[in-house]
Amino acid sequence: STAAKPPVPGLVKPRLARGIGAVASAGLYAAFLDDLAAEIRQCGIPAGWFIPAGCGWLPPALGSLQLPTRWQVGSNWSARQSRLFEECHRDGAPGTVLIASDSPQLTGPEISAGLVERDDQVMLGPVNDGGYFLLGMRGHHDVLGGVEMSTASVCADVISRAADRGLEVQLLPPQFD
């Protein structure tokens, strides 16, 4: 799944908007989503969007293997992500990979690398600011509960929670977002 928001000026990329304006930053974000969708279509894996509930927006098509849209529901970003993994597991998905929409440079092979083969693995793609661009796991493991998002320690906190649960963490090469 790819986490995304509708590319509405003033609602996306606020730090970027301070430098280039809200309309330009929303346009750039829309282009990010188009670029990610193109890579996902080329990798040939089933994929879907993970967007805010009730937003009324249709993200770019992901190709013939597109899965139904999943809705972001929960009190905070940690809870919304955790719910995604829980729902996908409950619905019989063999594994789930969540990628961030702030990494349009990702290639199909980098996205596919997030697929894990064992139930005791977690895949993380760290970003240079301490967060992550990708989180993958089979099943649902509570590696996000209590993790404060948008901090410099997000990736480290997820790694710590995974280790506390006896999960092997594999890291992809760091990216920027």
Side-chain angles (χ1 to χ4, degrees):
S1 291
T2 301
K5 299 177 193 175
V8 176
L11 296 181
V12 295
K13 312 305 299 161
R15 288 181 291 175
L16 181 61
R18 286 192 291 264
I20 67 172
V23 172
S25 68
L28 185 59
Y29 181 74
F32 286 2
L33 299 178
D34 288 338
D35 289 350
L36 279 171
E39 285 298 323
I40 290 167
R41 285 191 297 270
Q42 289 180 12
C43 43
I45 60 172
W49 289 101
F50 182 49
I51 63 175
C55 67
W57 166 67
L58 293 174
L62 297 175
S64 62
L65 298 177
Q66 183 160 341
L67 299 172
T69 296
R70 299 266 182 180
W71 305 109
Q72 295 177 12
V73 177
S75 60
N76 57 46
W77 186 228
S78 294
R80 291 189 289 274
Q81 291 177 86
S82 186
R83 182 178 171 141
L84 170 72
F85 285 96
E86 187 175 354
E87 286 179 359
C88 290
H89 176 63
R90 182 195 65 221
D91 293 347
T96 303
V97 175
L98 178 61
I99 59 173
S101 56
D102 288 349
S103 299
Q105 75 279 7
L106 293 177
T107 64
E110 289 169 320
I111 295 166
S112 297
L115 299 170
V116 296
E117 296 180 9
R118 298 191 336 248
D119 291 344
D120 66 342
Q121 291 177 315
V122 172
M123 184 69 69
L124 268 172
V127 291
N128 297 330
D129 69 1
Y132 55 88
F133 66 88
L134 180 147
L135 175 61
M137 69 178 92
R138 294 177 69 84
H140 174 254
H141 303 285
D142 183 18
V143 298
L144 296 165
V147 173
E148 186 178 343
M149 295 291 147
S150 300
T151 66
S153 65
V154 172
C155 193
D157 293 345
V158 172
I159 291 169
S160 176
R161 288 188 57 86
D164 289 348
R165 284 150 183 75
L167 302 170
E168 175 187 324
V169 177
Q170 298 203 2
L171 296 176
L172 295 171
Q175 294 275 344
F176 63 90
D177 72 350

